[in-house]
C-alpha cells in the first residue's frame, strides 16, 4: 500500500503577509515558483497512483512546476472558505475579537457564494477526499499526491489520524513543502512533515 503525500502550494503575497486566502486566486510569488520547482526531486522518487489538486491557480501552478504527474482537479481540495475574514490577518481580527480562534469559532459569512465554513464542514470535505484516496490506495500501485492549501491539509491530516477536524491546529504547515502520511502496524501515522529538499 502506498503513502499519502501532501503538497502545500508555494508562497503567495498573502501567505507572506498572513492574510487569510481561500477563494482569492493569487498567483505564486517568484519565490513560490522556486519553492514549487524544488519539490520535483522529492516527488520524482515516488510512484504515483493518483494525483489530485485544488482548482485554485496557486495549487495548479505548484503541481505543474513540481512535476506532479497528470493531476486531476478535485473541488473538495479548495482551501477553508474564510468568508468575511478573506484577506484579513489574525492580528486584525483580534482587534475586534481578541479571543477568536479559527479552529474553535470558524468564520462569519462573506460575499455571495462564500458563506464561510466551520471546522466540521471542512472536515466533511476532507473525509470525502480521504474516501477517494483510500479507493486509489487499495486498487492501484503507488502513492496518492494531494496539492492543496495549509488549513485544509491540516484538517485532512487530523481526519486521517482519526482526530476531530479542530485538531488540525496541531500541524503547522509551511509553503512549498511535502509531507507524508503512512501506516505503521495498520494504523495511520505522520512519517514526514514540512519536508523541503
Amino acid at each position: 500500500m502506498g503513502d499519502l503525500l501532501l503538497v502545500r502550494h508555494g508562497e503567495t503575497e498573502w501567505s507572506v503577509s498572513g492574510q487569510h486566502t481561500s477563494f482569492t486566486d493569487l498567483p505564486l510569488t517568484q519565490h513560490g515558483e522556486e519553492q514549487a520547482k524544488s519539490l520535483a526531486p522529492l516527488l520524482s522518487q515516488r510512484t504515483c497512483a493518483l494525483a489530485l489538486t485544488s482548482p485554485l491557480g496557486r495549487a495548479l501552478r505548484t503541481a505543474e512546476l513540481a512535476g506532479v504527474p497528470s493531476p486531476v482537479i478535485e473541488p473538495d481540495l479548495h482551501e477553508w472558505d474564510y468568508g468575511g475574514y478573506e484577506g484579513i490577518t489574525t492580528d486584525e481580527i483580534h482587534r475586534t475579537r481578541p479571543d477568536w480562534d479559527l479552529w474553535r469559532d470558524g468564520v462569519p459569512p462573506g460575499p455571495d457564494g462564500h458563506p464561510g465554513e466551520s471546522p466540521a464542514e471542512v472536515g466533511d470535505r476532507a473525509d470525502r477526499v480521504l474516501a477517494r484516496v483510500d479507493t486509489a490506495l487499495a486498487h492501484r500501485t503507488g502513492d496518492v499526491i494531494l496539492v492543496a492549501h495549509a488549513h485544509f491539509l491540516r484538517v485532512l491530516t487530523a481526519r486521517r489520524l482519526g482526530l476531530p477536524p479542530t485538531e488540525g491546529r496541531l500541524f503547522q504547515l509551511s509553503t512549498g513543502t511535502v509531507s507524508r502520511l503512512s501506516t505503521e502496524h495498520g494504523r495511520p501515522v505522520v512519517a514526514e512533515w514540512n519536508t523541503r529538499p
Side-chain angles (χ1 to χ4, degrees):
M1 184 178 200
D3 291 336
L4 176 55
L5 305 180
L6 310 179
V7 178
R8 183 182 174 194
H9 65 75
E11 176 190 275
T12 69
E13 286 185 14
W14 284 10
S15 68
V16 174
S17 64
Q19 292 168 264
H20 287 89
T21 320
S22 53
F23 51 85
T24 304
D25 206 359
L26 296 177
L28 300 180
T29 62
Q30 182 59 45
H31 180 62
E33 295 220 347
E34 291 166 6
Q35 286 180 317
K37 290 175 189 173
S38 77
L39 300 179
L42 293 176
L43 299 175
S44 67
Q45 299 170 19
R46 314 288 300 199
T47 301
C48 180
L50 176 66
L52 302 174
T53 181
S54 160
L56 295 171
R58 56 194 182 270
L60 292 165
R61 181 69 172 148
T62 297
E64 176 189 356
L65 294 172
V68 174
S70 305
V72 176
I73 292 174
E74 171 51 68
D76 275 334
L77 282 174
H78 71 77
E79 180 61 297
W80 190 319
D81 185 337
Y82 298 126
Y85 287 160
E86 181 78 2
I88 301 175
T89 67
T90 298
D91 287 344
E92 290 171 321
I93 297 165
H94 283 165
R95 289 179 196 149
T96 56
R97 292 182 68 185
D99 296 328
W100 176 79
D101 182 280
L102 174 68
W103 301 99
R104 180 190 63 229
D105 303 323
V107 296
D112 284 348
H114 298 287
E117 286 182 294
S118 69
E121 288 169 323
V122 180
D124 288 343
R125 287 197 288 114
D127 288 345
R128 291 194 298 268
V129 172
L130 288 170
R132 188 170 180 185
V133 165
D134 286 338
T135 298
L137 290 175
H139 296 99
R140 301 182 191 183
T141 301
D143 303 316
V144 173
I145 301 172
L146 304 180
V147 184
H149 314 273
H151 280 126
F152 179 80
L153 290 174
R154 291 169 68 175
V155 171
L156 182 134
T157 298
R159 298 301 301 135
R160 185 61 160 182
L161 300 176
L163 302 171
T166 53
E167 296 307 291
R169 66 188 174 81
L170 300 173
F171 304 102
Q172 188 274 336
L173 193 57
S174 300
T175 57
T177 55
V178 176
S179 299
R180 182 167 61 93
L181 304 182
S182 190
T183 56
E184 182 180 61
H185 307 301
R187 294 186 301 268
V189 295
V190 176
E192 294 179 81
W193 196 257
N194 266 342
T195 303
R196 287 191 174 118

